[in-house]
Amino acid sequence: MGKTLAEKLLNMHLVEGQPKKGTEIGIRIDQTLTQDATGTMVYLAFESIGLARVKTELSISYVDHNLLQTDFKNSDDHIFLQSAARKFGVYFSRPGNGICHQVHLERFGRPGKSLLGSDSHTPTIGGLGSLAIGAGGLDVAAAMAGHPFYLTYPQVLGVCLKGRLSDWVSGRDIILELLRRLTVKGGRGYIVEFFGSGVMSLEVPDRATVANLGTELGATTTVWPSDEKTRLFLRAQGREGDYLPLSADRDAGYDQVITLDLDSLEPMIACPSSPDNVVSVKAVAGRDVSQVLLGSCANSSYRDLMSAAMILEGRTVHENVSFEVNPGSRQVLENITSSGGLLKLIQAGARIQQPGCLGCIGVGQAPASGVISLRTFTRNFPGRSGTRDDQVYLCSPETAAAAALTGRITDPRDLGDYPKVVVPEKFIINDRNIFPLLEDTTGVEVLRGPNIKSFPQFSEMPARLEGCVILKVKDNITTDDIMPAGSEILPWRSNIPAMSRFVFQGLSPDFARRAEANGMVAVVGGENYGQGSSREHAALAPRYLGVAVKLAKSFARIHKANLINYGILPLTFMRSDDYNLIAEGDVLIIEDIREMVLSGAVEIPVKVRGREIATSLDASVRQRRILAAGGLLNLMRQET
Ligand code: MIC
Ligand code: SF4
């Protein structure tokens, strides 16, 4: 049986372990990316490893998430990041130059290369045939230092595309349909790979949108073949030399295959408050809309913004709607300016923002209470917009523009003729806002403002654990629930003691106080615990507060890796009904835990209220050593 593209990419980079599904492997990382909100921790960790320069082929630091400078903290972070990039041989994409994934797609992503990013939507670059994976900051720092990245060899879910998309239907609708079918847990343990006759009809930006949102399926990553469309995209970026044709073997054996007929796909929309709560736009058409936001790493390419500009051309945004446009990158902004799209948007009444994440991570653009906000963003988890009772829907740029015009959720097909965007054969390219590398970095200083605190020190795992369950939560808890973001909290990302005050703020406002009052504590969760972002703060800050164990029905991939990297024991219930046997306030006791972790024990008995609950620890030998050491940094220090 032939190989899937995912297997070929993994095998090309394999440096440890065997290509055997379900086992831990180590892969070589060619490129890394960081963004500001996770980046400060990455460079602090890299600094503590003690290397003078990164060992990757290419590493780049983007500043895109928190562009709101309400006081010195955030500006200090930007200066720190720029100086660390200069010092360690990392490219620096300055604030306002664009969202990491969009800029990386345009300027650096390459078919066949592996990319590790400290952001969960790094798989966007899978749209170019790259093996692009999101991870916690410590894993990215280790990759920058030349260490392999470890992951469980995934299964491959093949999506066979047939036909071609109808007018008014675009890449976003493909992934919304997959989210409808598979849910936010459906991709866990898989790489999602596209193949079939329908692939050739899709341009790279549409492929990148789908790959980006494969993250919401919980997938390890998403990959598309690299073909003629890839070559044309790279040529338009002046990078045809980076092209490498890549595809699965004809007789590739997928672990699971689903078929999607592009011809019959219609505009889709995710309703509040989960990316998989998907219905057809028709089913919810007519609901009044108060805000429409076009942007984010999922849908802010040239095509996306130009199609909105053409839909709105000569018309006016509905009087009840605030329509805002967040370009994905400065390149997109320059190109829509040159082709007249920006003028059309401005004349229609769009509010034009700088390129960046902005409202996608709750940095401004919060909707009014109780109203509907339609966004082309990635996530509509409750309250992520910055408004507690938000009603956020996720949809394509076409559906967003239609609502901006009519003031209601509208099937864009009702607007009549589809304005087809012609993408330039060659984009205006301007790399002057990505700062080049210095040959000689002697004398370069890393500049640190007063809010940038060093990593907290953690002790190694004790012989026995005893901790009070101070919180019990349900299924699909997100890292936004665990460690919220937004304009108030993001400025503290480089200061863990301050950041920890906000842990579980929405679900349990006094969590930090109760954790500190109890010493060592535990949290109990349902399925898919920790889905969503890659932020390691969702492990690091709870660890700082004394969380020693998380016991859940199942974990999301990146969060579980982050828990281990910070020495928090991730246990799963062997019988998921046992979840019902534990209540908040119970004390969990695990005897001889250190010995069990180190000896490779899988079944871990947990005593609670006089009875024993069977739990399991699914961790590799390497991960067990990290847990026993009290975290990855401790282990690295011990080993040097
Ligand atoms: C997100 O979309 O949730 C973020 C903000 O980009 C995160 C990273 C972070 O929390 O800094 C992600 O997706 O990993
Ligand atoms: Fe930024 Fe939103 Fe993309 Fe995260 S999902 S990288 S916050 S645009």
Side-chain angles (χ1 to χ4, degrees), residues 35 64-65 99-101 119-121 212 216 295-298 356-362 377-379 384 535:
Q35 42 90 341
D64 52 1
H65 275 64
I99 307 175
C100 52
H101 311 304
D119 191 282
S120 66
H121 292 105
N212 170 293
E216 304 322 316
S296 93
C297 55
C357 299
L358 312 171
C360 184
I361 185 59
F377 294 178
T378 55
R379 294 177 171 143
R384 177 172 156 109
R535 65 189 71 146

Side-chain angles (χ1 to χ4, degrees), residues 60 80 519:
I60 174 154
F80 167 80

